[in-house]
Each structure stands twice: as structure tokens, then as C-alpha cells.
């Protein structure tokens, strides 16, 4: 039976994914809430037997700034705009509260939860398409991510999610050379291409597409996966957080459920993603939306056989069936 697949990947980053956009001061409660949400997410995933890839920034695996320095690469990215460098940002700070940056205890909880895959979101939330950096600096960043995961947790990393969804062919190739077998790629819609070249029009279309169809079909056939390593698993939909807009939020959840059902009926892959810190505001409303999605997955599993699989599961099973 050709059954559909729900794949979930999470970009776990705390402030390492936001330092170039938002100040740390004033967001302490936001990250405190995020830290409380993650065990609840894990409980919800375990209760519903949901398998998830946690694409984790290597920096947050450190216990402290001292340990972070120990695992940091010898070569830093040479961005033209210094604001993109985590290393420059750290140097500019007088006070760095660890609660917003370091979470090895949460990584251990992820590893202890059944069905969860620890993946990578690079070591420093590295932007592979920003001007000034080069691919060898990216390689060094990946090596640092692999090292901290292996030495602290004994885990080899197989799945990679590129920060800000920025990547080019050479960065994908380097990821494969550094041992990553699976990467999350972008939807084929024009407004998801070259995310380093952000425009207002792209943002409007990406936001609008969560409400009504403005792009291509979001789910895709298993036969579309190429066996070349690393295997690319396109994203289908970003689960946008509730921000006080109850009508729009209900519409977004309903659209996701409709897309999941269509994928289940046709035996295709639906790849949902978001950031755990997206639940840092309006935690209960966001958790309720997620519960609706996971409950719906169980309905689709009973009716059409739709299964929950993380990135490694999905690519490995699909490619094994075609003899790769």
C-alpha cells in the first residue's frame, strides 16, 4: 500500500537564530517560555507517537560560554556584514544569559524521547549565501557541529537544515562530504528561492500562501526524491505561530489539515516545519493548534495509513524501496 508520510522538522536555535534581528534584552521571558515548551512538545510527540527531526544549532549544545569557545571552529565566517557573525555578536555583549543560548539539558531530553532524531542547524547558525563568507568556512562550521554532538552526546548527525533556508549547490555538496545524508530543501515556488535576497513581495506571497493557494502543490510524491547524497527533502509548509489573530490562525491550521489529507489520500510526503521558539508567545494557543494537527494525523493514519516519520526515516525508507 502506498501510504502518505507526515515529516516534521524543527529548527531548534534559541537566540542563536535571532541575534542579527532582535536584541537579547527584553526577550528573557520569551526564551524561558520556550524552554518550558520543549518538554511539553516532547510529551505530546511521545503521546501521539510522532517522530521529529530536531535540527539543532551546535552552539546551544554547549554548557557555557567557555565550552562554546572550546568547540568553536578555528576559522570564523568573514561576512561583509558583521551583524551576521555569531562570534562578533558574542564579543559585543557584556552580559550573556545562558538561558537564551545554552540548552544541553534539553538536547538530552530530546535524545531520551522515543522517535526523535537529533539533526543539525549548523554550529553558529551559518548563512551559506551571505556575501563575504566562503565554503571552506562553512565546512569548518559543520565540522564543529559534528564534533560537539559526537563528543558531548555520542550522536552522529545525518540530517541538516540550512539556517534561513539559505543554500546553494556547493554548500549542499559540502554537507554531503561532511557526512550529512539528508537536507531539508525549499519548496519550488519562486517566493521560496534565493531566500538571502529577501523582498516585501516574497514575504507577502509566503504569508498569503498559508491562507490560500498562491504557489504549487505543497506535498510531493516519493518518486521525486533523488537518491544522490545528500538526499533533499523539500519543505511543504511552515507552521506559523498564533499571534492574536484567531481567525487567520484557524484558517492556517485548516489549510495544513487539508493538505495533509490530500497527501494521505495520494500516498505522498507532507513536510511540516517550525521553530520551537515560535511558541514562546501565546504558548497555549500554539500548543492547541499543534494538538489539532497531530490528532488529525491519527485520523489520517486510521483512514489512509498516513505515517509519522522524521527526515532520516523518510529518506531512508523511500530510497530503500527503489534499491539505493
Amino acid at each position: 500500500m502506498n501510504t502518505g508520510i507526515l515529516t516534521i522538522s524543527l529548527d531548534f536555535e534559541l537566540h542563536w537564530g535571532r541575534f542579527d534581528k532582535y536584541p537579547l534584552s527584553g526577550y528573557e521571558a520569551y526564551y524561558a517560555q520556550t524552554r518550558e515548551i520543549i518538554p511539553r512538545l516532547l510529551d505530546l510527540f511521545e503521546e501521539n507517537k510522532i517522530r521529529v527531526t530536531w535540527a539543532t544549532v551546535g552552539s546551544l549544545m554547549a554548557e557555557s560560554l567557555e565550552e562554546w569557545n572550546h568547540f568553536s571552529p578555528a576559522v570564523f565566517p568573514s561576512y561583509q556584514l558583521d551583524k551576521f557573525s555569531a562570534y562578533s555578536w558574542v564579543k559585543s555583549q557584556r552580559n550573556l544569559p545562558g538561558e537564551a543560548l545554552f540548552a544541553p539539558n534539553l538536547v538530552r531530553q530530546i535524545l531520551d524521547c522515543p522517535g526523535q532524531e537529533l539533526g543539525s542547524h549548523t554550529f553558529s547558525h551559518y548563512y551559506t549565501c551571505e556575501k563575504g563568507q566562503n565554503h571552506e568556512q562553512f565546512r569548518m562550521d559543520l565540522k564543529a557541529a559534528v564534533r560537539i554532538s559526537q563528543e558531548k552526546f555520542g550522536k552522529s548527525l545525518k540530517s541538516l537544515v540550512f539556517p534561513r533556508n539559505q543554500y546553494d549547490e556547493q554548500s549542499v555538496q559540502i554537507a554531503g562530504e561532511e557526512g550529512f545524508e539528508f537536507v531539508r530543501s525549499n519548496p519550488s515556488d519562486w517566493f521560496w528561492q534565493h531566500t538571502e535576497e529577501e523582498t516585501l513581495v516574497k514575504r507577502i506571497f509566503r504569508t498569503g500562501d498559508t491562507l490560500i493557494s498562491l504557489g504549487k502543490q505543497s506535498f510531493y510524491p516519493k518518486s521525486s526524491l533523488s537518491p544522490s547524497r545528500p538526499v533533499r527533502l523539500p519543505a511543504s509548509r511552515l507552521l506559523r505561530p498564533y499571534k492574536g489573530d484567531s481567525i487567520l490562525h484557524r484558517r492556517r491550521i485548516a489549510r495544513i489539515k487539508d493538505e495533509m489529507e490530500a497527501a494521505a489520500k495520494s500516498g505522498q510526503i507532507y513536510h511540516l516545519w517550525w521553530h520551537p521558539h515560535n511558541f514562546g508567545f501565546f504558548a497555549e494557543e500554539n500548543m492547541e493548534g499543534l494538538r489539532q494537527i497531530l490528532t488529525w494525523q491519527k485520523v489520517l493514519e486510521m483512514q489512509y495509513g498516513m505515517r509519522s516519520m522524521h527526515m532520516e526515516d523518510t529518506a531512508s525508507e523511500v530510497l530503500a524501496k527503489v534499491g539505493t
Side-chain angles (χ1 to χ4, degrees), residues 93-127:
Q93 302 300 300
R94 292 185 177 181
N95 180 38
L96 286 171
E99 294 79 7
L101 298 174
F102 305 119
N105 59 318
L106 293 177
V107 175
R108 293 186 185 96
Q109 290 183 45
I110 292 168
L111 291 171
D112 288 342
C113 183
Q116 309 305 293
E117 178 198 11
L118 184 65
S120 180
H121 204 32
T122 75
F123 183 80
S124 65
H125 207 254
Y126 193 104
Y127 306 132

Side-chain angles (χ1 to χ4, degrees), residues 58-323:
S59 291
L60 70 74
M61 297 183 185
E63 299 277 353
S64 63
L65 187 60
E66 180 181 11
E67 189 172 69
W68 176 77
N69 279 311
H70 170 73
F71 282 104
S72 293
V75 178
F76 298 159
S78 52
Y79 300 117
Q80 282 187 12
L81 295 179
D82 207 36
K83 71 172 186 176
F84 293 129
S85 172
Y87 309 99
S88 297
W89 176 78
V90 166
K91 286 183 180 179
S92 71
Q93 302 300 300
R94 292 185 177 181
N95 180 38
L96 286 171
E99 294 79 7
L101 298 174
F102 305 119
N105 59 318
L106 293 177
V107 175
R108 293 186 185 96
Q109 290 183 45
I110 292 168
L111 291 171
D112 288 342
C113 183
Q116 309 305 293
E117 178 198 11
L118 184 65
S120 180
H121 204 32
T122 75
F123 183 80
S124 65
H125 207 254
Y126 193 104
Y127 306 132
T128 64
C129 295
E130 293 297 341
K131 294 179 180 178
Q133 60 79 41
N134 62 61
H135 288 100
E136 285 310 305
Q137 292 168 352
F138 174 54
R139 186 188 300 277
M140 295 297 290
D141 184 277
L142 289 185
K143 287 182 180 293
V146 169
R147 179 187 170 210
I148 193 170
S149 177
Q150 187 63 53
E151 292 189 13
K152 283 185 64 71
F153 304 103
K155 293 298 295 184
S156 298
L157 303 173
K158 294 184 179 181
S159 296
L160 173 69
V161 170
F162 292 96
R164 300 277 161 83
N165 300 298
Q166 288 186 21
Y167 60 90
D168 56 17
E169 290 303 316
Q170 192 171 353
S171 59
V172 172
Q173 179 182 341
I174 289 172
E177 292 170 356
E178 294 305 317
F180 290 95
E181 298 183 34
F182 321 107
V183 300
R184 190 178 76 204
S185 57
N186 293 334
S188 59
D189 300 298
W190 65 268
F191 46 85
W192 277 106
Q193 302 308 301
H194 300 289
T195 56
E196 72 280 6
E197 299 172 358
E198 189 67 304
T199 67
L200 177 60
V201 174
K202 282 185 177 181
R203 290 197 295 270
I204 290 172
F205 269 78
R206 287 202 299 265
T207 301
D209 191 49
T210 65
L211 301 169
I212 59 174
S213 180
L214 297 177
K216 301 175 183 177
Q217 177 178 285
S218 60
F219 46 94
Y220 48 92
K222 300 170 187 176
S223 60
S224 67
L225 298 188
S226 170
S228 61
R229 296 296 199 271
V231 178
R232 304 181 198 208
L233 284 166
S236 296
R237 180 71 60 206
L238 166 62
L239 173 60
R240 291 183 178 266
Y242 175 87
K243 293 183 178 179
D245 51 351
S246 58
I247 295 176
L248 294 180
H249 186 65
R250 286 198 297 271
R251 174 57 193 150
R252 291 188 179 109
I253 297 298
R255 180 154 165 72
I256 288 171
K257 291 169 66 176
D258 287 345
E259 292 174 327
M260 287 172 58
E261 182 174 12
K265 287 181 176 178
S266 58
Q268 299 189 59
I269 299 170
Y270 188 73
H271 189 167
L272 187 67
W273 69 280
W274 71 94
H275 307 81
H277 68 246
N278 291 153
F279 288 16
F281 293 137
F282 300 105
E284 299 311 318
E285 291 85 351
N286 282 302
M287 287 294 290
E288 175 56 30
L290 179 59
R291 286 191 191 93
Q292 293 178 30
I293 291 170
L294 301 188
T295 299
W296 186 235
Q297 188 275 328
K298 291 304 171 190
V299 172
L300 297 177
E301 184 176 28
M302 288 186 292
Q303 292 185 349
Y304 306 108
M306 186 181 218
R307 292 169 297 156
S308 167
M309 306 180 78
H310 53 53
M311 287 176 62
E312 180 182 355
D313 287 336
T314 302
S316 297
E317 176 177 300
V318 170
L319 296 179
K321 288 184 177 180
V322 297

